[in-house]
């Protein structure tokens, strides 16, 4: 097996080992993917505590569902879906749209005061964070998966179980809304 | 077909990223050639893309799977038994209780001592708990369902 193949199959290998009861296998899966699931949940919710709960919950659910997960790709897809469903459940419980919190800029790395350029960038990022959180959930999901999780349209369609055309349409409309919200930052 | 600005706006991201099919792309191009507002919008989308591409950092908490597993009370994974394996012994236990409760008491032959109903053998609470509880289960619910008192 070539080195590249080994790297690509790491998730698949560990899913199989975890299914067979190897505890270290799921440890590796968690180490490899927790950060991305957390970042996704945080960018979707703007709430660090909720994001941590959703990310942890996604791994608990995927652990329980290992018997039905066939390979590494399915595992990652399951994680994102589980995190998204947990966030939706929480949003329904709270019965309100997720609101931007000042957690965003404060939790960001390298947040100490710096030259004016850095402050302007941080303010822009804070505005971007708020605008993303203000998007309808279906637009926000595809935008976060594409721009922050670096998934292509096909992958997003697989994760969310929607056609590629729908992904593209939602992305286009999400960006149109963001441009509207961030006009003061984008106009030269 | 002449398209309005709203239709074009929703497709500017696709236009820039190359997602649009040829006919749609041609319509967007035709509109852009005649609409300065949409050309400015296209420039704004380029700036937005650049801002999104910078991916403002997110601090990730240090969480280990063993911590999560311990908090969730997850047992080691058993390859053969599934999540609902507890339900089979629980169902059997419930059925046994039901059979026992519905079994008519026949009078004992003369001279034979019969144990009173209260002294009759009871299912072991520990057995119920161990077989009925999954990682997130509530043993009290099982006991209440069977009419047992909860200590």
């Amino acid at each position: 097996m070539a080195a590249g193949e080994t790297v690509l199959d790491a998730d698949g290998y560990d899913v199989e080992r975890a299914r067979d009861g190897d505890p270290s296998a799921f440890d590796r899966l968690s180490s490899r993917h927790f950060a991305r699931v957390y970042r996704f949940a945080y960018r979707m919710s703007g709430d660090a505590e909720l994001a941590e709960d959703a990310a942890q919950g996604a791994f608990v659910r995927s652990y329980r569902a290992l018997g039905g997960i066939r390979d590494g790709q399915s595992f990652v897809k399951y994680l994102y879906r589980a995190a998204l469903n947990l966030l939706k459940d929480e949003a329904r419980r709270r019965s309100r749209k997720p609101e931007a919190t000042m957690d965003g800029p404060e939790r960001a790395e390298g947040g100490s005061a710096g030259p004016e350029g850095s402050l302007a960038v941080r303010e822009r990022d804070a505005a971007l964070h708020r605008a993303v959180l203000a998007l309808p959930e279906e637009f926000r999901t595809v935008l976060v998966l594409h721009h922050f999780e670096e998934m292509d349209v096909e992958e997003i369609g697989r994760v969310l179980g929607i056609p590629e055309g729908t992904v593209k349409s939602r992305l286009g409309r999400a960006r149109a809304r963001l441009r509207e919200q961030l006009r003061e930052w984008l106009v030269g | 077909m002449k398209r309005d600005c709203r239709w074009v706006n929703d497709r500017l991201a696709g236009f820039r990223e190359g997602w649009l099919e040829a006919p749609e792309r041609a319509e967007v191009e035709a509109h852009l050639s005649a609409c300065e507002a949409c050309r400015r919008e296209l420039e704004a989308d380029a700036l937005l893309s650049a801002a999104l591409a910078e991916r403002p950092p997110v601090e990730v908490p240090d969480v280990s799977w063993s911590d999560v597993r311990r908090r969730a009370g997850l047992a080691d994974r058993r390859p053969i038994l599934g999540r609902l394996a507890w339900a089979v012994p629980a169902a059997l236990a419930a059925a046994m209780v039901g059979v026992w409760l519905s079994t008519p008491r026949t009078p004992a032959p003369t001279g034979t001592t019969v144990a009173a109903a209260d002294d009759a053998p009871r299912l072991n609470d520990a057995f119920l708990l161990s077989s009925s509880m999954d990682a997130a289960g509530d043993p009290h619910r099982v006991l209440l369902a069977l009419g047992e008192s909860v200590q």
Side-chain angles (χ1 to χ4, degrees):
Chain A
M1 186 184 290
E5 284 183 57
T6 303
V7 169
L8 288 172
D9 285 344
D11 284 344
Y13 174 78
D14 283 330
V15 164
E16 199 176 316
R17 295 290 304 153
R19 257 205 311 266
D20 290 342
D22 177 359
S24 66
F26 204 86
D27 283 339
R28 290 192 294 273
L29 287 167
S30 170
S31 296
R32 211 176 289 136
H33 295 295
F34 181 84
R36 70 192 291 190
V37 178
Y38 174 85
R39 280 195 303 265
F40 168 70
Y42 179 74
R43 293 190 200 281
M44 285 295 295
S45 65
D47 183 328
E49 197 176 307
L50 175 57
E52 190 171 337
D53 286 346
Q56 291 184 21
F59 279 90
V60 170
R61 285 190 177 186
S62 64
Y63 182 78
R64 289 179 169 153
L66 269 176
I69 297 176
R70 65 173 185 277
D71 56 30
Q73 201 177 66
S74 302
F75 177 77
V76 174
K77 183 173 85 174
Y78 190 97
L79 282 177
Y80 278 106
R81 275 198 179 172
L84 189 57
N85 286 336
L86 285 163
L87 291 172
K88 283 182 182 178
D89 288 346
E90 181 59 23
R92 269 195 292 271
R93 259 195 297 278
R94 295 182 183 186
S95 296
R96 59 175 171 82
K97 287 183 183 177
E99 293 169 358
T101 69
M102 289 310 292
D103 262 1
E106 285 163 11
R107 286 296 295 263
E109 291 171 351
S112 58
E116 195 169 303
S118 299
L119 180 60
V121 167
R122 291 210 316 277
E123 285 178 348
R124 182 204 65 184
D125 288 348
L128 178 61
H129 184 66
R130 283 191 297 271
V132 170
L133 291 175
L135 288 173
E137 180 253 310
E138 60 183 24
F139 291 174
R140 188 173 352 119
T141 307
V142 295
L143 187 110
V144 169
L145 287 175
H146 181 63
H147 288 287
F148 298 122
E149 298 304 309
E150 299 182 275
M151 287 190 187
D152 61 28
V153 168
E154 186 189 6
E155 240 179 312
I156 295 171
R158 274 202 308 269
V159 167
L160 299 180
I162 58 177
E164 284 183 34
T166 304
V167 176
K168 292 174 184 177
S169 167
R170 289 181 185 178
L171 267 170
R173 292 170 70 186
R175 296 242 293 253
R177 290 214 187 187
L178 283 184
R179 290 196 302 270
E180 206 176 301
Q181 293 295 315
L182 298 169
R183 201 157 298 283
E184 66 172 285
W185 298 98
L186 299 174
V187 173
Chain B
M1 182 191 304
K2 218 173 169 187
R3 298 291 188 176
D4 63 19
C5 292
R6 185 173 173 180
W7 186 92
V8 170
N9 255 302
D10 285 347
R11 282 155 183 79
L12 289 179
F15 179 78
R16 290 195 59 256
E17 302 227 13
W19 297 331
L20 298 184
E21 299 294 329
E24 272 194 337
R25 184 174 181 83
E27 288 183 276
V28 170
E29 279 176 345
H31 181 93
L32 287 173
S33 66
C35 180
E36 190 183 337
C38 284
R39 286 199 296 274
R40 282 202 302 271
E41 197 68 14
L42 185 67
E43 288 169 11
D45 192 72
L47 293 171
L48 173 63
S49 265
L52 289 167
E54 286 181 26
R55 281 190 289 283
V58 171
E59 188 180 333
V60 179
D62 188 18
V63 173
S64 73
W65 169 243
S66 55
D67 289 340
V68 174
R69 212 176 87 164
R70 191 171 51 247
R71 277 199 289 273
L74 291 174
D76 282 342
R77 221 189 128 67
R78 293 165 293 180
I80 298 170
L81 297 178
R83 290 173 59 208
L84 296 180
W86 63 268
V88 174
L92 281 175
M96 285 169 66
V97 169
V99 167
W100 179 76
L101 288 174
S102 63
T103 300
R105 305 283 179 258
T106 54
T110 307
T112 306
T113 302
V114 177
D118 283 345
D119 297 331
R122 305 295 296 272
L123 285 173
N124 188 298
D125 283 354
F127 168 76
L128 284 174
L129 285 175
S130 66
S131 62
S132 304
M133 191 164 60
D134 73 357
D138 183 349
H140 290 178
R141 283 209 301 275
V142 174
L143 296 176
L144 288 171
L146 293 172
E148 299 285 312
S149 63
V150 177
Q151 296 296 327

